Amino acid sequence: MLIIGRAVVRDILDGDDAQVVDLVRHAYLLHEQGRTSLPHSVFLRFPQQPRDRIIGLPAYLGADPPVSGIKWISSFPGNLDAGLERASAAILLNSMRTGHPVALVEGSVISARRTAASAALAAGLLTAHRRPDGLALIGCGLINQQVLRFVAGTIAPPLALTLFDADPRRAEAFAEVARTLLPGTPTTLAGTAEEAMAAHRLVSIATTATEPHLDLAACRPGAVLLHLSLRDLLPEGLPTARNVVDDPDHACREGTSLQLAEQLTGGRNFIHATIGALAGGQARLPVDDVPVVVSPFGLGVLDLVLAEHVRANAERRHLGVRVDGFLPVVDATVASTGSLKEWQ
């Protein structure tokens, strides 16, 4: 068993954002071709802690080589008040030959970057005809920090930034990080989420909201909204937009705005395309003034493609910690007789 910690994951992925986007694109294309297996995510919730959850995302990706495993990711928003990161994660990779676990990879870095890479990929596809005048970020946490990096590095540096967070101190701290990343870029702190939505044609929403609270009325004509937190937008407004998802069956569940819109309308006709179909050229959206809402549920194959990339690089560079004796070993002389006796 190879254990790969956070520092090694960052060492391998840092400075490689373009390749991360390419790997995410590849996973989406394979999913669109039916070369994945994606059971629904399992949500572990706690009766006395309604904001907290741990999610299991099992997945198989028919890449070359194929990869299978599971991400186990927690979200405890109260961590922020204690100076801790909201999310933590571990990814377990399994051998496709034996099924044995072969690597345990720290997953929070991978999770944040695959989310941002997915957002940047969608933004690049949907704004290719007209690059946005700026970028609005609603929710000033780790995810939108990564979105800013990926958009700036793989599409183009935004001409201006508008930030909003329910905690003004977080917005101010984020602004300092943004000014370091993009010196000279005008950065404005909005007083409300609606003000931020109205500021630019590209908006990323990444909050800890559990119930919808925003409508689309403030959006600019033809705006692209990256609805990464999935539960911010009022369901009544989604049928008036063009909706893009990673997978309808995954995105329309667990109380997402999309699921509420499905219940409201009685169907999914308001979903117009998937990210994979857009990336592969099987789908196109009209260029007009109708807002486009991208709501990726977060497919486990994205985590696996990056975790396998990290594992392969760690093996080649002799990084990580090798743990011998993790799995039971069968006595070959006894096993040949048909017994399953294990060494103790």
Side-chain angles (χ1 to χ4, degrees), residues 142-184:
L142 175 62
I143 297 300
N144 265 341
Q145 286 185 17
Q146 294 296 322
V147 169
L148 176 58
R149 275 190 51 241
F150 273 82
V151 168
T154 64
I155 301 177
L159 300 178
L161 289 176
T162 300
L163 310 176
F164 173 77
D165 193 278
D167 182 347
R169 294 170 300 178
R170 284 169 58 82
E172 291 169 0
F174 191 107
E176 291 303 313
V177 174
R179 293 183 184 110
T180 301
L181 178 65
L182 299 172

Side-chain angles (χ1 to χ4, degrees), residues 5-231:
R6 180 187 183 96
V8 173
V9 174
R10 293 194 62 170
D11 179 54
I12 292 171
L13 294 182
D14 279 355
D16 212 12
D17 291 350
Q19 185 173 12
V20 170
V21 173
D22 285 342
L23 289 168
V24 165
R25 179 195 296 268
H26 183 56
Y28 274 134
L29 294 178
L30 292 179
H31 181 60
E32 200 66 25
Q33 296 164 15
R35 295 171 58 184
T36 63
S37 178
L38 279 167
H40 278 158
S41 306
V42 176
F43 280 66
L44 176 63
R45 291 191 168 92
F46 313 99
Q48 305 305 318
Q49 299 171 228
R51 297 181 66 205
D52 300 334
R53 63 179 186 265
I54 307 177
I55 310 173
L57 291 84
Y60 161 80
L61 181 67
D64 183 19
V67 57
S68 67
I70 186 169
K71 179 175 76 169
W72 186 241
I73 181 167
S74 68
S75 175
F76 279 52
N79 284 354
L80 298 173
D81 296 331
L84 303 173
E85 290 193 3
R86 174 186 60 83
S88 61
I91 300 171
L92 187 68
L93 298 177
N94 293 81
S95 164
M96 287 302 300
R97 182 176 62 85
T98 66
H100 290 176
V102 295
L104 180 65
V105 186
E106 197 284 328
S108 66
V109 173
I110 287 174
S111 189
R113 296 195 188 191
R114 66 83 149 144
T115 301
S118 170
L121 173 63
L125 293 167
L126 294 167
T127 65
H129 63 285
R130 183 179 62 177
R131 290 305 183 199
D133 56 337
L135 172 63
L137 300 171
I138 298 174
C140 293
L142 175 62
I143 297 300
N144 265 341
Q145 286 185 17
Q146 294 296 322
V147 169
L148 176 58
R149 275 190 51 241
F150 273 82
V151 168
T154 64
I155 301 177
L159 300 178
L161 289 176
T162 300
L163 310 176
F164 173 77
D165 193 278
D167 182 347
R169 294 170 300 178
R170 284 169 58 82
E172 291 169 0
F174 191 107
E176 291 303 313
V177 174
R179 293 183 184 110
T180 301
L181 178 65
L182 299 172
T185 300
T187 301
T188 302
L189 301 184
T192 65
E194 290 79 5
E195 181 184 340
M197 289 176 68
H200 306 294
R201 290 195 305 272
L202 180 60
V203 181
S204 177
I205 306 173
T207 76
T208 58
T210 58
E211 294 184 359
H213 59 104
L214 292 172
D215 62 34
L216 299 175
C219 288
R220 287 195 175 187
V224 174
L225 282 80
L226 308 171
H227 185 205
L228 306 181
S229 38
L230 296 170
R231 296 170 180 84

